[in-house]
Amino acid sequence: MSNKVIYLDNAATTRVRREVAEAMLPYFTEEYGNASAIYSLAGGAKEALQNGRDIMAGLLGCAGNEIYFTGCGSESDNWALKAAAEAYRAKGNHIITTKIEHHAVLHTCQWLEKQGVEVTYLDVDEQGLVRLEQLKAAIRPTTILISVMFANNEIGTMEPIREIGALAREHGILFHTDAVQAFGQVPIDVDELNIDMLSASAHKLNGPKGVGLLYIRKGVKIRSFMHGGAQERKRRAGTENIPGIVGFGEAAKIAAATMQERAAKETKLRDYLIERVLTEIPYSRLNGCRTKRLPGNANFSFQFVEGESMLIMLDMAGICASSGSACTSGSLDPSHVLLAIGLPHEIAHGSLRLTLSHETTREEIDYTVEQIKEIVAKLRDMSPLYEDFIKGGQERQGGKKNVQ
Ligand SMILES: *Cc1c(COP(=O)(O)O)cnc(C)c1O
């Protein structure tokens, strides 16, 4: 087992499925025409583009011409927020979002604040859920947009999107959701959920990197993001990434066809992993909501342990994991998501995210749990804080074994 890598970082990115890579290949070397061209060589590219749009529309329950292909999920988030702020300026300048969004949303909001837009960052509860009452109270006559993520990339919590959509609709406010983690994992119908804009990205669902989409409901006033050619109905210039779009389409098609079976399998393995960790490792806790949770996400905190050290030791054991989001590793700040659910700094620092895929096996999970047990024990042995704690600090600190 140790000569094979165990990949448990599927929330960061995923392996491209072989069928997806194969579907893309002809669009590099044979159907390489520019989809905007008139000659018949471009026919295949044009068709592939339309086909890609239709697949996405089928998944989201919208029309093909409401799908705009972009370069990534971050671009889709940037576009939705910046363009809505500009197009609806006459109506107001207030946006509501949450403290646990991906940086693609958070940093865009911070940039918008510098342009004079007012932003409310909602707190979440200890499970990472938005409180609807707080959202309702934050709505002003000048609110033009609510942006709340479908599912959180760190702790896997799934937000009450239906209720938020209904609230936004009732108040005539646009609703954008960053569904990069949820798209292809759980069913999404934009009409049923009253979603006006939605971001997704191919590389989070076993598709290629470098292609994303933004769904924009017909009638939503939105400015073009990239200026130049007339691609994507003049709203997103740049020669279309046809191989990427074909790969995204194929990945989405497979994700939709296998959704139920994958979710059932991953949920079962995830719950097995959670159960083993919480019962076999003292002073551990699960972060995020126990039930409203992405099928493949498990996020733990281990007291008296440094997340980064754990990652290095797991890597030596052939296991790829994460201690927060890929974008924050390399910085020593604890994750903004873990702080928002109320974890103290020292516990947030000792966190570990394991994200499963359809390829994850029970043997891999068993091996991983054994490794985590050993690593946590080793690191605690080296920790003076743990030593103090064990030597009689236990009662003083009221140490509960598993803080859940
Ligand atoms: C990965 C991710 C993004 C960014 O998508 P890219 O395609 O990597 O730019 C945005 N939001 C969430 C929730 C993500 O998980």
Side-chain angles (χ1 to χ4, degrees):
M1 172 141 308
S2 56
N3 54 7
K4 189 180 151 247
V5 165
I6 297 177
Y7 187 73
L8 294 175
D9 202 17
N10 287 282
T13 197
T14 57
R15 183 218 288 271
V16 174
R17 282 186 189 257
R18 190 152 302 283
E19 309 93 289
V20 170
E22 275 163 12
M24 292 171 70
L25 280 178
Y27 292 89
F28 289 106
T29 51
E30 286 148 50
E31 304 286 354
Y32 56 84
N34 188 318
S36 308
I38 298 294
Y39 39 75
S40 43
L41 174 71
K46 220 174 286 182
E47 208 174 288
L49 180 58
Q50 190 51 49
N51 189 35
R53 248 190 260 294
D54 291 344
I55 292 170
M56 302 308 172
L59 244 82
L60 292 171
C62 64
N65 63 8
E66 294 173 307
I67 299 291
Y68 297 83
F69 287 111
T70 64
C72 57
S74 300
E75 180 188 326
S76 303
D77 286 341
N78 270 260
W79 183 10
L81 271 65
K82 290 177 185 171
E86 190 196 341
Y88 288 84
R89 189 158 293 164
K91 187 188 168 211
N93 69 340
H94 179 233
I95 292 176
I96 301 173
T97 187
T98 78
K99 288 188 179 164
I100 61 163
E101 297 299 310
H102 188 274
H103 284 138
V105 168
L106 282 183
H107 291 169
T108 302
C109 283
Q110 287 160 11
W111 181 84
L112 283 168
E113 283 186 285
K114 289 192 195 130
Q115 318 302 311
V117 174
E118 288 168 19
V119 182
T120 300
Y121 301 90
L122 296 174
D123 287 316
V124 292
D125 68 14
E126 66 286 351
Q127 310 198 52
L129 290 162
V130 167
R131 296 185 184 92
L132 291 166
E133 283 313 307
Q134 262 190 21
L135 171 57
K136 212 184 254 178
I139 293 173
R140 308 176 189 167
T142 54
T143 306
I144 53 163
L145 176 71
I146 295 172
S147 180
V148 175
M149 70 201 317
F150 209 105
N152 184 270
N153 46 304
E154 292 190 38
I155 56 174
T157 299
M158 314 244 298
E159 297 298 336
I161 294 299
R162 181 183 301 274
E163 289 77 5
I164 297 170
L167 206 57
R169 181 60 52 96
E170 189 189 313
H171 289 82
I173 300 167
L174 287 184
F175 177 37
H176 165 254
T177 185
D178 174 342
V180 174
Q181 287 293 330
F183 184 71
Q185 310 297 343
V186 295
I188 302 177
D189 184 304
V190 290
D191 282 342
E192 247 178 58
L193 301 174
N194 285 320
I195 295 166
D196 297 308
M197 292 187 281
L198 175 146
S199 307
S201 179
H203 77 99
K204 301 289 176 88
L205 58 139
N206 306 99
K209 292 164 183 60
V211 58
L213 69 80
L214 181 64
Y215 155 75
I216 308 175
R217 181 180 292 282
K218 188 164 179 279
V220 169
K221 278 191 288 180
I222 196 136
R223 302 292 155 87
S224 60
F225 185 62
M226 215 60 125
H227 303 284
Q231 292 92 354
E232 299 298 283
R233 290 171 302 286
K234 296 190 185 157
R235 282 167 159 186
R236 201 275 185 183
T239 301
E240 299 87 348
N241 173 6
I242 301 297
I245 290 165
V246 168
F248 195 1
E250 189 67 20
K253 218 162 55 183
I254 298 172
T258 60
M259 192 182 285
Q260 268 190 330
E261 165 209 335
R262 264 186 311 125
K265 185 197 152 198
E266 286 178 32
T267 302
K268 205 169 145 201
L269 261 185
R270 174 201 74 190
D271 289 344
Y272 172 69
L273 165 66
I274 292 172
E275 184 62 27
R276 281 204 63 185
V277 167
L278 295 184
T279 53
E280 297 177 33
I281 305 182
Y283 312 111
S284 61
R285 59 162 274 150
L286 176 73
N287 297 315
C289 186
R290 196 70 183 74
T291 49
K292 292 170 195 136
R293 184 174 201 104
L294 282 172
N297 176 293
N299 188 313
F300 304 102
S301 287
F302 302 101
Q303 271 180 271
F304 315 108
V305 166
E306 254 290 315
E308 299 288 314
S309 318
M310 231 182 323
L311 289 189
I312 293 166
M313 292 171 81
L314 281 169
D315 182 45
M316 292 196 290
I319 300 164
C320 305
S322 157
S323 69
S325 75
C327 336
T328 52
S329 58
S331 106
L332 286 175
D333 292 337
S335 136
H336 65 284
V337 176
L338 297 178
L339 295 182
I341 61 170
L343 292 195
H345 277 241
E346 67 277 13
I347 297 196
H349 267 306
S351 79
L352 180 71
R353 180 184 72 181
L354 302 168
T355 41
L356 286 50
S357 80
H358 61 282
E359 296 182 305
T360 309
T361 64
R362 194 175 163 113
E363 289 71 42
E364 288 180 331
I365 294 297
D366 281 328
Y367 172 77
T368 302
V369 173
E370 293 307 324
Q371 291 301 315
I372 297 173
K373 275 165 76 172
E374 271 181 42
I375 290 169
V376 168
K378 244 184 242 172
L379 290 171
R380 283 179 179 165
D381 272 349
M382 298 189 286
S383 158
L385 283 175
Y386 186 62
E387 199 183 346
D388 279 359
F389 176 72
I390 291 302
K391 272 198 220 136
Q394 248 152 331
E395 293 119 68
R396 192 179 62 246
Q397 298 192 24
K400 257 188 24 195
K401 266 214 143 181
N402 282 335
V403 250
Q404 285 182 48

